[in-house]
Structures are given as C-alpha cells and as structure tokens.
Amino acid sequence: MDCTLCGACCVAPDIAALDKPLGMRCPHLTADNLCSVYERRPQVCRDYAADEVCRLIEAPTLEERVQKYLALFGLTDEAESVRQRGCSSMRKARPG
C-alpha cells in the first residue's frame, strides 16, 4: 500500500528515536503533513510502511485519523493524559 501522506503516523504513536510522546504531533511534521527532516529521519520512520491500519483510520481530518488510531489500539485515555500534562518528551510522559 502506498502512503496516503495523512500524517497520523507522525502524531498518534510515540516515537522513542524522536522522544515524541503518544498522541503528540512530531515537531518535524509540517502543516501539510510532510516530514521536514525526511532525508535525515530516524530509522524507525524509514522502516514504517503503510498498511491496513492506514485504511482503518481513514477520516477527513488529521485529528479524526489520530483519534481512530488511538482508539484502535486502546490508547485514547493514555494519550489524553499525556496531552493534558502538555508533555514535550516521551521521558516526561512516562509515569514513574
């Protein structure tokens, strides 16, 4: 499956290589949902391949796609907690 350039994979999951918390927008994601460091992106981003999840979360807006992604994996409450705390880093987002 070809990437739809929807941006959900740059917002919904946590990305340790970028210290990006769950549900928070990657700081390298541009307004048009493209990666501003595409040529220098970490290996985890290079290895990601569009798959069935992309079809399952299709929606008109990035926010709707992210919410569908989080719900699909049962991460809605955790992501909301991270968002409310305003965590700027994965390390800060993890309790304990």
Side-chain angles (χ1 to χ4, degrees), residues 5-17:
L5 305 176
C6 80
C9 62
C10 299
V11 178
D14 55 13
I15 304 172

Side-chain angles (χ1 to χ4, degrees), residues 8-24 26 44-45 69-70 75 78-79 82 89-91 93-94:
C9 62
C10 299
V11 178
D14 55 13
I15 304 172
L18 294 170
D19 194 28
K20 189 202 83 59
L22 178 71
M24 302 296 284
C26 177
V44 67
C45 299
Y69 178 103
L70 295 170
L75 298 168
E78 183 180 347
V82 168
S89 99
M90 221 171 115
R91 289 182 291 277
R94 296 285 177 220

Side-chain angles (χ1 to χ4, degrees), residues 39-51:
E39 294 302 319
R40 302 180 323 275
R41 69 195 186 282
Q43 193 63 48
V44 67
C45 299
R46 291 175 185 276
D47 291 343
Y48 180 79
D51 59 17

Side-chain angles (χ1 to χ4, degrees), residues 29-81:
L29 188 63
T30 64
D32 55 356
N33 295 332
L34 297 176
C35 180
S36 65
V37 296
Y38 187 80
E39 294 302 319
R40 302 180 323 275
R41 69 195 186 282
Q43 193 63 48
V44 67
C45 299
R46 291 175 185 276
D47 291 343
Y48 180 79
D51 59 17
E52 187 60 27
V53 170
C54 300
R55 285 194 184 95
L56 292 173
I57 66 168
E58 283 181 317
T61 68
L62 176 58
E63 184 172 327
E64 289 172 289
R65 291 187 294 271
V66 169
Q67 290 307 313
K68 287 174 85 171
Y69 178 103
L70 295 170
L72 180 67
F73 292 101
L75 298 168
T76 304
D77 291 343
E78 183 180 347
E80 180 60 20
S81 175

